[in-house]
């Protein structure tokens, strides 16, 4: 049974009814509508913590989706799942794929920076200051790109850039 038919609460049912109505009225071909249905089911499963089911739906949506912009969000959501499960390498690959399709995706840039920053902290704790600094520099570059796209977001990253001397600008917004 599709996830959209299993929702138990009022809000989920309301969302499903609206999404199904939009899907029916949407001026798109059958394949695009089917891709959207898989994407919607993937988001629902992801919200419920059903990551394996979400990934299955996202992978199916990717095979059906033709629009590169929409594909970028599918890949981004898959990256979120891998990152939350600690598979940072796979998450990085998916975020980079998403950025290849949609370079204006600041949340992917931010998440890449977060992973590099985390890896920098790990290297620092392991007694590898040179490796840590290289990873922190990578994080800084991705945060700068994210901030350029969304100057009012990522305030903590802006503060980190400034306090670590990795910022060329005093104020981004």
């Amino acid at each position: 049974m599709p996830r959209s038919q299993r929702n138990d609460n009022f809000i989920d049912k309301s969302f499903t009814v609206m999404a199904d109505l939009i899907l029916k009225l949407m001026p798109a071909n059958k394949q695009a509508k089917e891709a959207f249905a898989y994407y919607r089911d993937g988001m629902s499963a992801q919200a419920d913590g059903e990551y394996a089911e979400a990934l299955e739906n996202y992978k199916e949506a990717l095979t059906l989706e033709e629009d590169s912009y929409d594909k970028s969000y599918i890949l981004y959501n898959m990256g979120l799942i891998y990152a939350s499960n600690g598979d940072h390498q796979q998450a990085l690959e998916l975020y980079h794929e998403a950025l290849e399709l949609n370079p204006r995706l600041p949340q992917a840039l931010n998440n890449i920076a977060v992973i590099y920053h985390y890896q920098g902290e790990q290297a620092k704790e392991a007694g590898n200051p040179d490796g840590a600094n290289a990873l922190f520099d990578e994080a800084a570059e991705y945060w700068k790109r994210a901030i350029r796209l969304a100057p009012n977001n990522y305030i903590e990253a802006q503060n980190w850039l400034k306090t670590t001397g990795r910022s060329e600008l005093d104020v981004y917004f």
Side-chain angles (χ1 to χ4, degrees):
M1 168 187 319
R3 173 167 280 281
S4 60
Q5 295 174 3
R6 287 188 274 155
N7 293 326
D8 295 330
N9 69 47
F10 175 76
I11 294 172
D12 284 346
K13 284 182 182 179
S14 299
F15 171 76
T16 299
V17 168
M18 290 300 296
D20 286 342
L21 183 61
I22 291 169
L23 195 57
K24 287 177 185 170
L25 298 174
M26 201 166 75
N29 65 35
K30 184 179 183 219
Q31 183 174 329
K33 290 180 180 185
E34 192 175 348
F36 177 77
Y38 278 107
Y39 179 64
R40 180 198 61 211
D41 286 349
M43 288 190 324
S44 179
Q46 185 174 358
D48 290 343
E50 300 291 336
Y51 296 140
E53 181 182 345
L55 285 172
E56 286 177 27
N57 281 298
Y58 289 146
K59 287 175 184 175
E60 190 61 36
L62 271 179
T63 64
L64 296 167
E65 185 58 63
E66 294 176 349
D67 183 76
S68 60
Y69 185 81
D70 292 341
K71 280 185 171 188
S72 72
Y73 281 94
I74 296 168
L75 291 163
Y76 169 77
N77 282 336
M78 291 173 71
L80 288 174
I81 291 171
Y82 282 103
S84 70
N85 287 333
D87 188 347
H88 295 140
Q89 191 56 44
Q90 183 64 38
L92 285 171
E93 289 174 21
L94 289 163
Y95 292 145
H96 283 289
E97 280 184 62
L99 287 168
E100 286 175 21
L101 297 173
N102 179 5
R104 298 190 54 80
L105 198 61
Q107 56 269 50
L109 293 165
N110 176 65
N111 289 3
I112 291 169
V114 167
I115 291 171
Y116 284 138
H117 185 270
Y118 171 78
Q119 291 174 339
E121 290 292 338
Q122 296 295 315
K124 184 176 169 184
E125 287 178 20
N128 181 0
D130 292 337
N133 278 328
L135 287 162
F136 290 146
D137 288 344
E138 279 293 309
E141 291 308 311
Y142 281 96
W143 268 322
K144 288 178 202 174
R145 288 175 58 193
I147 292 164
R148 279 188 209 106
L149 292 173
N152 294 324
N153 297 352
Y154 316 117
I155 302 301
E156 288 181 38
Q158 291 181 40
N159 290 334
W160 180 83
L161 288 167
K162 188 172 183 178
T163 60
T164 62
R166 289 180 168 89
S167 172
E168 291 97 26
L169 301 173
D170 285 334
V171 178
Y172 285 101
F173 52 90

